[in-house]
Amino acid sequence: MSNPHRYCVIMCGGIGSRFWPYSRADRPKQFIDFFGTGRSLLQMSYDRILPLVDKEHVIIVTNDHYAPLVREQLPELADHQILLEPARRNTAPCIAWAAHHIHALDPEASMIVTPSDHLITRELEFINSIDRGFSFVENNDALLTLGIKPTRPETGYGYIQVGSPVEGNDGILKVKTFTEKPDLDLAKVFVESGEFFWNSGIFLWSAKAILEALHMHAPDLTATFDRGLGDFATEREREFIEREFPSCVNISIDYAVMERAANVYVECVDFGWNDLGTWSSLYDNSPKNRDQNVTQNCRVLAYNSSGNIFAVKGEKLVVANGLHDYIIADAGDVLLICPKSEEQHIKLYVNDVKLTYGDKHL
């Protein structure tokens, strides 16, 4: 039986524009079954946490627009376990609301906050790491983030510089600094130093500790939520959120709290983590044929072609010749053909599509 004071918050409001045209405004990447397992990234995130947290203590925070998708994919959740944001306001307002909601239910609660779209391949290691993290934050006034040992000088992730280890807590260290996405040269220095870990965006803390940190470091944000202190976990909560949430500042929890607080720690973990933020990361984590091509549940005849990822919906057959290291993604009304090395421009393509054709293909 898991600890009855443990909760999980799954953040599920992103639009996943780097996975366009598969990830669309009406069905973003967290709701897609990329690996043909019958479970979407959201469902896999939910399944992964159940050995640690009672299913009644799982909270999904998502955008109003995605409520039907969450209910379709996680029908076992009650309506009060799905918090619907009336506007997109980044991770700090999302976490502040969830922490207030949980604290009102259980002042002794501890919580893990995790994105809905990560891939984790070593689930037993994940369970052990999270269990250790929960124990640490339940016995210390601490804000804990999970750091991933870097395998390459990645410029798309934030980095955490680690300080001294915490006595009696294996793998947990004090945080020295956070650094946002570095350029390639700096990323190389980080990896070679051995002092830096990738910032996974997965956090653990007690509800009390994160609310205190938000009050100290994000007073403008907490002033909004303080106006609803009697409303959380009651029938008045929804009305309060509809009225006040859109006025929240748009800020990440890293900027609002983690980079400012003194009681921030990192647990260095190794459980096969990838944030699946890009087509290349999906390519890296998918099985490949002898030509190093990836086919995502589709039919492909490839000649003199290598290092490609083919993602095509429906019954369409793809025949390709002479393609190397490309993304070929066909979503029915949109066909994207782009070198993997240029995929950082996909957000630009999405903006141009919006300017030229409106929202039809988004």
Side-chain angles (χ1 to χ4, degrees), residues 204-218:
L204 292 106
W205 40 53
S206 67
K208 179 172 176 280
I210 189 59
L211 290 175
E212 285 176 354
L214 283 160
H215 270 101
M216 186 177 298
H217 302 290

Side-chain angles (χ1 to χ4, degrees), residues 233-290:
T234 75
E235 68 280 358
R236 300 185 303 278
E237 181 174 23
R238 181 76 196 148
E239 183 188 336
F240 167 77
I241 289 296
E242 289 281 354
R243 185 176 68 247
E244 299 287 349
F245 193 88
S247 67
C248 287
V249 61
N250 187 328
I251 188 170
S252 73
I253 196 69
D254 294 279
Y255 280 131
V257 171
M258 302 303 280
E259 294 180 12
R260 302 176 183 185
N263 59 333
V264 179
Y265 298 83
V266 59
E267 181 182 2
C268 301
V269 298
D270 182 16
F271 42 57
W273 172 90
N274 194 293
D275 84 338
L276 274 195
T278 62
W279 283 109
S280 286
S281 63
L282 181 60
Y283 173 86
D284 291 341
N285 285 279
S286 298
K288 299 163 188 67
N289 66 14
R290 65 178 183 226

Side-chain angles (χ1 to χ4, degrees), residues 1-263:
M1 179 65 183
S2 57
N3 182 319
H5 298 295
R6 291 181 177 179
Y7 287 75
C8 173
V9 175
I10 300 178
M11 299 182 291
C12 187
I15 55 174
S17 60
R18 288 179 297 174
F19 261 117
W20 184 84
Y22 249 44
S23 181
R24 309 292 274 268
D26 62 348
R27 198 176 189 90
K29 67 172 178 173
Q30 60 269 30
F31 299 106
I32 296 173
D33 171 14
F34 279 107
F35 297 100
T37 62
R39 300 294 273 175
S40 68
L41 295 176
L42 167 62
Q43 290 168 317
M44 290 164 71
S45 299
Y46 171 77
D47 297 343
R48 194 182 299 130
I49 207 68
L50 290 183
L52 294 154
V53 172
D54 293 338
K55 71 176 181 182
E56 291 80 10
H57 287 182
V58 177
I59 307 285
I60 310 292
V61 187
T62 191
N63 189 270
D64 260 347
H65 189 61
Y66 302 138
L69 285 170
V70 173
R71 292 189 180 111
E72 170 197 317
Q73 296 201 350
L74 297 174
E76 57 270 54
L77 296 188
D79 282 351
H80 64 81
Q81 292 174 263
I82 305 171
L83 304 185
L84 300 176
E85 297 175 323
R88 287 192 175 86
R89 286 296 177 269
N90 215 318
T91 53
C94 163
I95 289 168
W97 178 17
H100 275 291
H101 179 85
I102 290 168
H103 190 265
L105 292 170
D106 180 0
E108 296 179 54
S110 54
M111 51 195 276
I112 176 174
V113 179
T114 178
S116 57
D117 53 2
H118 288 182
L119 175 67
I120 287 165
T121 54
R122 293 198 288 281
E123 302 218 340
L124 189 59
E125 275 298 309
F126 172 82
I127 290 165
N128 292 336
S129 297
I130 300 306
D131 197 42
R132 274 196 304 274
F134 264 127
S135 295
F136 180 69
V137 301
E138 285 157 2
N139 291 289
N140 296 275
D141 176 26
L143 308 176
L144 183 66
T145 184
L146 299 191
I148 312 293
K149 187 173 178 59
T151 56
R152 61 186 184 277
E154 172 64 55
T155 58
Y157 298 156
Y159 285 74
I160 302 164
Q161 185 181 21
V162 299
S164 53
V166 178
E167 195 175 328
N169 288 273
D170 190 34
I172 295 178
L173 302 95
K174 198 84 175 68
V175 168
K176 265 191 189 175
T177 59
F178 286 89
T179 303
E180 284 304 304
K181 300 168 184 176
D183 62 29
L184 185 59
D185 289 340
L186 193 53
K188 285 177 180 172
V189 172
F190 285 175
V191 173
E192 286 162 12
S193 77
E195 283 186 33
F196 287 81
F197 288 74
W198 287 336
N199 186 354
S200 69
I202 302 172
F203 307 101
L204 292 106
W205 40 53
S206 67
K208 179 172 176 280
I210 189 59
L211 290 175
E212 285 176 354
L214 283 160
H215 270 101
M216 186 177 298
H217 302 290
D220 290 352
L221 180 60
T222 46
T224 299
F225 287 99
D226 282 349
R227 291 196 285 273
L229 281 180
D231 298 336
F232 295 107
T234 75
E235 68 280 358
R236 300 185 303 278
E237 181 174 23
R238 181 76 196 148
E239 183 188 336
F240 167 77
I241 289 296
E242 289 281 354
R243 185 176 68 247
E244 299 287 349
F245 193 88
S247 67
C248 287
V249 61
N250 187 328
I251 188 170
S252 73
I253 196 69
D254 294 279
Y255 280 131
V257 171
M258 302 303 280
E259 294 180 12
R260 302 176 183 185
N263 59 333

